[in-house]
């Protein structure tokens, strides 16, 4: 048998390049150069001075006790994602794509922490994951004690807590700095333009809100997903330890793995856009409903219209011949005008739905 044919499929994939590293000169401060980057960056030791890290360095039990001590009395339950040992931390669809291979439970955060502590050191524990939970709601003292300065930004801070996990590659609209507090993380990133090569699943039926790649990164099936090899030729990867962080720009695909019995990650999210701007995914879904079924020649016309009014927009070219007071949506967008557009669109959709 040919030597190449005997190799496992993942051995045939290109090796991911290392995510570039940015030298941290002031712990706890994210430089403007990082905040404005359009490429991912690893920031070693960015939050190594945090008190939460001091606890995590002692032991997983100490890290759990630290978080439990900050839990807000009377806080609402968190959503815990729980799967059997057989999924090996890969929270995903079931085989028929009619549901998922996990269940969700609403439980107090303290119960989750106690359960994770109970399973420490076990060879095949159930997979347990608390995803993207707002820190200020459940751990209100955390940010005061464990600060991160992002100049000019007012980020949303969230925490991820669990044991070993493999979170399918997905995109997020906000910019993102992810800081490892406990355990180790392996991060694999792909540029947004690798969409076609990542074999993304359903848009409206997803494991956690965002469409995900269907490729199992631990055992990629290149017969079923042959273009994934091309995606891997553009991939970047890093392993992060406690205190390390990674900056993930908007819409970069990221596959996240928690590598230890107890892992904690803190995310800071923000957008480089006014708060009043809507989610572009809403526009995509409406475009799919409105345009994709048109005859090819009509889709081509609308592609040109979108290029003219949106993707290649230049006010002089689009509306230079219209008096400024009469330009409406052809002129610069602002919050009040966007609100009027949204209201009119909702009215039209409501009329359409009532037919």
């Amino acid at each position: 048998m040919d030597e190449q044919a005997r190799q496992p499929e993942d051995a045939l994939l290109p090796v991911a390049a290392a995510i570039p590293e940015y030298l941290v000169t002031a712990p706890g401060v994210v430089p403007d150069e990082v905040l404005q980057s359009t490429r991912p960056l690893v920031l070693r030791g960015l939050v190594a001075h945090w008190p939460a890290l001091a606890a995590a360095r002692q032991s997983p039990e100490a890290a759990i006790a630290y978080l439990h001590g900050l839990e807000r009395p009377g806080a609402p339950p968190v959503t815990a994602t729980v799967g059997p040992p057989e999924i090996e931390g890969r929270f995903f669809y079931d085989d028929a794509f009619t549901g998922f291979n996990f269940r969700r439970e609403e439980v107090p955060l303290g119960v989750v922490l106690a359960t994770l502590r109970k399973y420490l050191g076990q060879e095949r524990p159930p997979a347990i994951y608390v995803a993207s939970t707002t820190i200020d709601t459940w751990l209100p003292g955390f940010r005061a004690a464990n600060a991160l300065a992002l100049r000019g930004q007012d980020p949303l801070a969230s925490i991820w807590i669990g044991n070993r996990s493999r979170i399918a590659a997905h995109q997020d609209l906000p910019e993102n700095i992810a800081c490892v507090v406990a355990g180790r993380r392996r991060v694999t990133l792909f540029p947004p333009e690798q969409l076609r090569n990542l074999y993304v699943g359903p848009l409206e039926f997803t494991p956690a809100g965002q469409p995900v790649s269907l490729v199992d990164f631990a055992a990629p099936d290149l017969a079923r997903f042959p273009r994934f090899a091309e995606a891997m030729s553009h991939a970047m990867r890093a392993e992060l330890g406690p205190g390390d962080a990674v900056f993930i720009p908007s819409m970069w695909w990221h596959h996240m793995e928690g590598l230890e019995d107890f892992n904690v990650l803190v995310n800071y999210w923000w957008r480089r856009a006014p708060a009043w701007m809507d989610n572009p995914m809403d526009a995509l879904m409406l475009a799919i409903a409105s345009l994709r079924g048109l005859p090819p020649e009509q889709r081509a016309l609308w592609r040109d219209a979108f290029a003219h009014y949106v993707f290649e927009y230049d006010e002089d070219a689009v509306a230079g011949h219209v008096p400024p007071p009469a330009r409406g949506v052809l002129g610069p967008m602002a919050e009040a005008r966007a609100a009027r557009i949204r209201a009119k669109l909702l009215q039209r959709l409501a009329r359409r739905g009532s037919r």
Side-chain angles (χ1 to χ4, degrees):
M1 181 181 291
D2 180 82
E3 177 64 26
Q4 185 174 4
R6 289 199 301 267
Q7 297 181 26
E9 287 188 327
D10 59 346
L12 306 179
L13 294 171
V15 177
I19 301 174
E21 299 195 10
Y22 186 94
L23 180 62
V24 174
T25 57
V29 177
V30 182
D32 293 343
E33 185 177 357
V34 174
L35 296 176
Q36 299 303 319
S37 177
T38 59
R39 304 286 291 178
L41 295 167
V42 166
L43 299 94
R44 298 285 181 192
L46 177 69
V47 297
H49 62 294
W50 280 4
L53 266 293
R57 291 189 191 101
Q58 294 179 42
S59 66
E61 291 86 352
I64 290 170
Y66 180 86
L67 294 177
H68 186 66
L70 293 174
E71 186 178 5
R72 177 167 70 87
V78 296
T79 301
T81 304
V82 182
E86 292 73 28
I87 72 172
E88 297 182 337
R90 188 188 185 214
F91 297 101
F92 198 62
Y93 295 95
D94 61 21
D95 291 340
F97 277 74
T98 57
F100 305 106
N101 65 359
F102 57 84
R103 68 184 188 277
R104 292 187 174 95
E105 299 180 4
E106 300 294 319
V107 294
L109 177 58
V111 172
V112 177
L113 293 171
T115 305
L116 287 166
R117 182 172 57 239
K118 179 180 74 171
Y119 286 115
L120 288 174
Q122 292 198 14
E123 185 175 346
R124 284 175 58 79
I128 302 170
Y129 201 54
V130 173
S132 195
T133 298
T134 306
I135 288 178
D136 292 341
T137 300
W138 279 271
L139 301 166
F142 186 94
R143 280 217 277 179
N146 303 274
L148 185 66
L150 287 81
R151 286 187 283 259
Q153 306 297 337
D154 182 22
L156 173 68
S158 59
I159 193 166
W160 310 65
I161 305 170
N163 51 17
R164 298 179 188 272
S165 60
R166 294 188 286 138
I167 306 305
H170 61 282
Q171 294 173 303
D172 291 310
L173 178 61
E175 316 286 334
N176 173 12
I177 286 184
C179 307
V180 177
V181 175
R184 293 178 299 119
R185 295 270 172 167
R186 181 180 297 121
V187 182
T188 306
L189 305 178
F190 301 86
E193 57 267 23
Q194 289 306 307
L195 166 67
R196 292 168 179 81
N197 298 324
L198 287 170
Y199 297 91
V200 176
L203 299 187
E204 70 276 30
F205 178 58
T206 68
Q210 302 296 335
V212 302
S213 170
L214 302 186
V215 180
D216 183 350
F217 281 35
D221 183 349
L222 296 184
R224 182 182 176 192
F225 306 118
R227 296 193 306 275
F228 183 66
E230 174 64 19
M232 281 300 298
S233 72
H234 299 273
M236 293 188 285
R237 179 173 287 164
E239 188 168 306
L240 309 176
D244 295 337
V246 60
F247 168 68
I248 305 175
S250 172
M251 300 301 284
W252 273 69
W253 295 94
H254 46 289
H255 181 273
M256 308 290 286
E257 299 173 75
L259 303 177
E260 303 287 351
D261 289 349
F262 183 68
N263 301 277
V264 177
L265 187 77
V266 170
N267 279 100
Y268 296 85
W269 316 84
W270 71 97
R271 288 187 65 183
R272 297 185 196 177
W276 50 262
M277 286 188 65
D278 294 314
N279 189 331
M281 179 58 77
D282 296 338
L284 174 63
M285 297 295 282
L286 189 56
I288 289 172
S290 304
L291 302 176
R292 194 173 63 188
L294 294 175
E297 63 275 10
Q298 292 186 27
R299 289 203 306 271
L301 296 175
W302 281 103
R303 181 172 56 241
D304 289 344
F306 271 72
H308 182 67
Y309 290 113
V310 181
F311 299 112
E312 299 171 8
Y313 172 76
D314 176 89
E315 185 178 358
D316 287 340
V318 170
H321 54 286
V322 180
R327 288 180 183 177
V329 300
L330 301 182
M333 191 55 58
E335 183 172 5
R337 179 162 290 152
R340 289 194 293 271
I341 294 172
R342 191 182 304 114
K344 183 172 290 188
L345 181 58
L346 288 172
Q347 290 175 357
R348 290 179 177 177
L349 291 173
R351 287 198 297 269
R352 176 69 178 172
S354 64
R355 291 180 185 176

